[in-house]
Amino acid sequence: MPAVTPIALVDDELAMVKYNDDGLVAAIVQDEATRVVLMMAWMNAETLRQSLDEGRTVFWSRSRQEVWRKGDTSGDRQFIRQAFYDCDGDTLLFVVEQEGRGACHTGAWSCFFRPFGGADGAS
Amino acid sequence: MPAVTPIALVDDELAMVKYNDDGLVAAIVQDEATRVVLMMAWMNAETLRQSLDEGRTVFWSRSRQEVWRKGDTSGDRQFIRQAFYDCDGDTLLFVVEQEGRGACHTGAWSCFFRPFGGADGAS
């Protein structure tokens, strides 16, 4: 199993995070090794604290309206190595060690596997 | 000036994009050279088409409620090299050549310059 490296909960930092009307903040996940952007999902204040404290991404599933501890079902966990909040405090970035087959429920490594512009991407 | 490489507008692809109740879709921007995640902002259907067609990121500013052609004021334009939509069609990823000083209105190269966990990041 990959190493777990929790990130300290600092109240002044957590207070900088702004949540939308649904109490959620966007969380981008990037693979540490390849720098590939893996996915984007949502966290609430509780699952952000859980993520930092457990060193694993924990999201709020908007479709299921429940806590979504990434990888508990699939085994494809994400171990957090760095976490950032942006200039406006309304988007988070997690740099992770992606376990298993990848981040996407389709089986793809990244959720961003479909380019615009036809199969070749740029026209 | 960096090369401009427009991306073909393909109706079947554009139809895969899902917009939220405000008619917006989240757009992540990543630097092609360094693979750094630069920022996240929002597009509507019109500014997505403009972005692909012009080969530059064009967003919808939620705070100003107007089209935000990135870099028109600052000079720090983003020239699109690849564009992707995710498995659910509700998040976009643009890989760009970032011009000028960077993506962030603070003057930082990336908007994600503040780590959780204190100054050192991981605890």
Side-chain angles (χ1 to χ4, degrees), chain A residues 5-10 13-14 16-17 26 28 30 34-37 39-40 42 48 52 62 81-94 104-106 110-119 121-123, chain B residues 5-10 13-14 16-17 26 28 30 34-37 39-40 42 48 52 62 81-94 104-106 110-119 121-123:
Chain A
T5 54
I7 292 176
L9 298 170
V10 179
E13 295 168 0
L14 293 169
M16 298 294 288
V17 178
I28 300 166
Q30 181 179 31
T34 62
R35 313 305 285 177
V36 166
V37 177
M39 60 181 286
M40 201 270 273
W42 297 84
L48 169 56
L52 298 173
R62 297 181 302 171
R81 298 293 173 247
Q82 291 178 291
F84 301 87
Y85 54 104
D86 79 344
C87 53
D88 296 323
D90 65 1
T91 309
L92 310 178
L93 172 65
F94 292 88
C104 190
H105 74 285
T106 65
S110 162
C111 295
F112 299 96
F113 58 88
R114 295 186 296 189
F116 286 104
S123 59
Chain B
T5 54
I7 292 176
L9 298 170
V10 179
E13 294 168 1
L14 292 168
M16 299 292 288
V17 179
I28 301 166
Q30 181 179 33
T34 62
R35 313 306 286 178
V36 165
V37 177
M39 59 182 286
M40 203 271 274
W42 298 84
L48 169 56
L52 298 173
R62 296 180 303 171
R81 298 293 174 246
Q82 292 178 291
F84 301 87
Y85 54 104
D86 79 346
C87 53
D88 296 324
D90 65 1
T91 310
L92 310 179
L93 173 66
F94 293 87
C104 189
H105 74 284
T106 63
S110 162
C111 295
F112 299 96
F113 58 88
R114 296 186 295 190
F116 286 103
S123 61

Side-chain angles (χ1 to χ4, degrees), chain B residues 43-73:
Chain B
M43 294 182 180
N44 59 21
E46 182 189 354
T47 64
L48 169 56
R49 294 180 72 95
Q50 290 174 326
S51 294
L52 298 173
D53 197 43
E54 299 179 16
R56 277 180 56 193
T57 55
V58 184
F59 303 105
W60 178 257
S61 169
R62 296 180 303 171
S63 56
R64 297 194 304 272
Q65 288 286 301
E66 64 181 20
V67 172
W68 167 28
R69 187 169 271 97
K70 175 76 177 162
D72 269 2
T73 304

